[in-house]
PDB file of all heavy atoms in Angstrom:
ATOM      1  N   ALA A  49      -3.335 -39.966   6.649  1.00 96.00           N
ATOM      2  CA  ALA A  49      -3.620 -39.343   5.354  1.00 96.00           C
ATOM      3  C   ALA A  49      -2.819 -40.009   4.239  1.00 96.00           C
ATOM      4  O   ALA A  49      -3.317 -40.175   3.114  1.00 96.00           O
ATOM      5  CB  ALA A  49      -3.300 -37.856   5.411  1.00 96.00           C
ATOM      6  N   GLN A  53      -4.903 -41.398   1.277  1.00 94.00           N
ATOM      7  CA  GLN A  53      -4.685 -40.522   0.122  1.00 94.00           C
ATOM      8  C   GLN A  53      -5.954 -39.755  -0.274  1.00 94.00           C
ATOM      9  O   GLN A  53      -6.459 -39.885  -1.399  1.00 94.00           O
ATOM     10  CB  GLN A  53      -4.136 -41.315  -1.064  1.00 94.00           C
ATOM     11  CG  GLN A  53      -2.775 -41.949  -0.794  1.00 94.00           C
ATOM     12  CD  GLN A  53      -2.118 -42.527  -2.029  1.00 94.00           C
ATOM     13  OE1 GLN A  53      -2.566 -42.308  -3.147  1.00 94.00           O
ATOM     14  NE2 GLN A  53      -1.045 -43.271  -1.825  1.00 94.00           N
ATOM     15  N   ILE A  96      15.947 -25.067  23.892  1.00 85.00           N
ATOM     16  CA  ILE A  96      15.455 -23.688  23.836  1.00 85.00           C
ATOM     17  C   ILE A  96      14.948 -23.298  25.219  1.00 85.00           C
ATOM     18  O   ILE A  96      14.033 -23.928  25.757  1.00 85.00           O
ATOM     19  CB  ILE A  96      14.336 -23.536  22.782  1.00 85.00           C
ATOM     20  CG1 ILE A  96      14.860 -23.902  21.393  1.00 85.00           C
ATOM     21  CG2 ILE A  96      13.790 -22.116  22.785  1.00 85.00           C
ATOM     22  CD1 ILE A  96      15.976 -23.020  20.891  1.00 85.00           C
ATOM     23  N   THR A 119       1.014 -30.956   0.230  1.00 96.00           N
ATOM     24  CA  THR A 119      -0.280 -31.469  -0.229  1.00 96.00           C
ATOM     25  C   THR A 119      -0.976 -30.534  -1.209  1.00 96.00           C
ATOM     26  O   THR A 119      -2.057 -30.863  -1.707  1.00 96.00           O
ATOM     27  CB  THR A 119      -1.216 -31.714   0.970  1.00 96.00           C
ATOM     28  OG1 THR A 119      -1.351 -30.490   1.713  1.00 96.00           O
ATOM     29  CG2 THR A 119      -0.659 -32.790   1.873  1.00 96.00           C
ATOM     30  N   LEU A 232      15.197 -28.210  10.890  1.00 92.00           N
ATOM     31  CA  LEU A 232      13.929 -28.385  10.187  1.00 92.00           C
ATOM     32  C   LEU A 232      13.957 -27.708   8.825  1.00 92.00           C
ATOM     33  O   LEU A 232      13.480 -28.271   7.825  1.00 92.00           O
ATOM     34  CB  LEU A 232      12.784 -27.830  11.035  1.00 92.00           C
ATOM     35  CG  LEU A 232      11.368 -28.031  10.483  1.00 92.00           C
ATOM     36  CD1 LEU A 232      11.082 -29.503  10.237  1.00 92.00           C
ATOM     37  CD2 LEU A 232      10.332 -27.439  11.435  1.00 92.00           C
ATOM     38  N   MET A 238      10.980 -25.938   3.833  1.00 90.00           N
ATOM     39  CA  MET A 238      11.573 -24.781   3.161  1.00 90.00           C
ATOM     40  C   MET A 238      12.491 -25.199   2.023  1.00 90.00           C
ATOM     41  O   MET A 238      12.074 -25.238   0.871  1.00 90.00           O
ATOM     42  CB  MET A 238      12.325 -23.914   4.183  1.00 90.00           C
ATOM     43  CG  MET A 238      12.871 -22.610   3.628  1.00 90.00           C
ATOM     44  SD  MET A 238      11.575 -21.389   3.414  1.00 90.00           S
ATOM     45  CE  MET A 238      12.557 -19.935   3.148  1.00 90.00           C
ATOM     46  N   GLN A 295      23.227 -31.421  -1.837  1.00 96.00           N
ATOM     47  CA  GLN A 295      22.371 -32.607  -1.872  1.00 96.00           C
ATOM     48  C   GLN A 295      21.025 -32.312  -2.512  1.00 96.00           C
ATOM     49  O   GLN A 295      20.461 -33.165  -3.208  1.00 96.00           O
ATOM     50  CB  GLN A 295      22.171 -33.154  -0.445  1.00 96.00           C
ATOM     51  CG  GLN A 295      23.435 -33.682   0.202  1.00 96.00           C
ATOM     52  CD  GLN A 295      24.078 -34.794  -0.604  1.00 96.00           C
ATOM     53  OE1 GLN A 295      23.400 -35.705  -1.079  1.00 96.00           O
ATOM     54  NE2 GLN A 295      25.393 -34.732  -0.756  1.00 96.00           N
ATOM     55  N   VAL A 389      25.618 -38.584 -20.589  1.00 95.00           N
ATOM     56  CA  VAL A 389      26.803 -39.102 -19.912  1.00 95.00           C
ATOM     57  C   VAL A 389      27.538 -37.990 -19.190  1.00 95.00           C
ATOM     58  O   VAL A 389      28.197 -38.222 -18.160  1.00 95.00           O
ATOM     59  CB  VAL A 389      27.723 -39.814 -20.930  1.00 95.00           C
ATOM     60  CG1 VAL A 389      28.319 -38.815 -21.921  1.00 95.00           C
ATOM     61  CG2 VAL A 389      28.840 -40.570 -20.223  1.00 95.00           C
ATOM     62  N   TYR A 405      33.775 -33.919   2.011  1.00 94.00           N
ATOM     63  CA  TYR A 405      33.428 -33.067   3.155  1.00 94.00           C
ATOM     64  C   TYR A 405      32.870 -33.884   4.317  1.00 94.00           C
ATOM     65  O   TYR A 405      32.985 -33.476   5.475  1.00 94.00           O
ATOM     66  CB  TYR A 405      32.527 -31.893   2.765  1.00 94.00           C
ATOM     67  CG  TYR A 405      31.225 -32.197   2.071  1.00 94.00           C
ATOM     68  CD1 TYR A 405      30.168 -32.794   2.720  1.00 94.00           C
ATOM     69  CD2 TYR A 405      31.023 -31.796   0.748  1.00 94.00           C
ATOM     70  CE1 TYR A 405      28.961 -33.020   2.078  1.00 94.00           C
ATOM     71  CE2 TYR A 405      29.821 -32.013   0.110  1.00 94.00           C
ATOM     72  CZ  TYR A 405      28.796 -32.621   0.771  1.00 94.00           C
ATOM     73  OH  TYR A 405      27.593 -32.840   0.143  1.00 94.00           O
ATOM     74  N   LEU A 448      16.917 -45.907   5.256  1.00 94.00           N
ATOM     75  CA  LEU A 448      15.963 -45.373   4.283  1.00 94.00           C
ATOM     76  C   LEU A 448      16.419 -45.536   2.839  1.00 94.00           C
ATOM     77  O   LEU A 448      15.633 -45.288   1.907  1.00 94.00           O
ATOM     78  CB  LEU A 448      15.672 -43.899   4.577  1.00 94.00           C
ATOM     79  CG  LEU A 448      14.758 -43.651   5.781  1.00 94.00           C
ATOM     80  CD1 LEU A 448      14.663 -42.168   6.088  1.00 94.00           C
ATOM     81  CD2 LEU A 448      13.368 -44.231   5.516  1.00 94.00           C
ATOM     82  N   ASP A 564     -24.999  43.032  -3.251  1.00 76.00           N
ATOM     83  CA  ASP A 564     -25.624  44.263  -2.758  1.00 76.00           C
ATOM     84  C   ASP A 564     -26.508  44.901  -3.826  1.00 76.00           C
ATOM     85  O   ASP A 564     -27.628  45.359  -3.546  1.00 76.00           O
ATOM     86  CB  ASP A 564     -24.537  45.252  -2.327  1.00 76.00           C
ATOM     87  CG  ASP A 564     -23.817  44.795  -1.064  1.00 76.00           C
ATOM     88  OD1 ASP A 564     -24.390  43.950  -0.336  1.00 76.00           O
ATOM     89  OD2 ASP A 564     -22.691  45.276  -0.815  1.00 76.00           O
ATOM     90  N   ALA A 567     -29.699  43.085  -4.217  1.00 73.00           N
ATOM     91  CA  ALA A 567     -30.594  43.306  -3.085  1.00 73.00           C
ATOM     92  C   ALA A 567     -31.322  44.643  -3.213  1.00 73.00           C
ATOM     93  O   ALA A 567     -32.535  44.746  -2.975  1.00 73.00           O
ATOM     94  CB  ALA A 567     -29.787  43.252  -1.776  1.00 73.00           C
TER      95      ALA A 567
END
Side-chain angles (χ1 to χ4, degrees):
Q53 298 190 10
I96 300 298
T119 57
L232 184 57
M238 186 76 167
Q295 295 302 315
V389 67
Y405 56 70
L448 285 173
D564 290 340

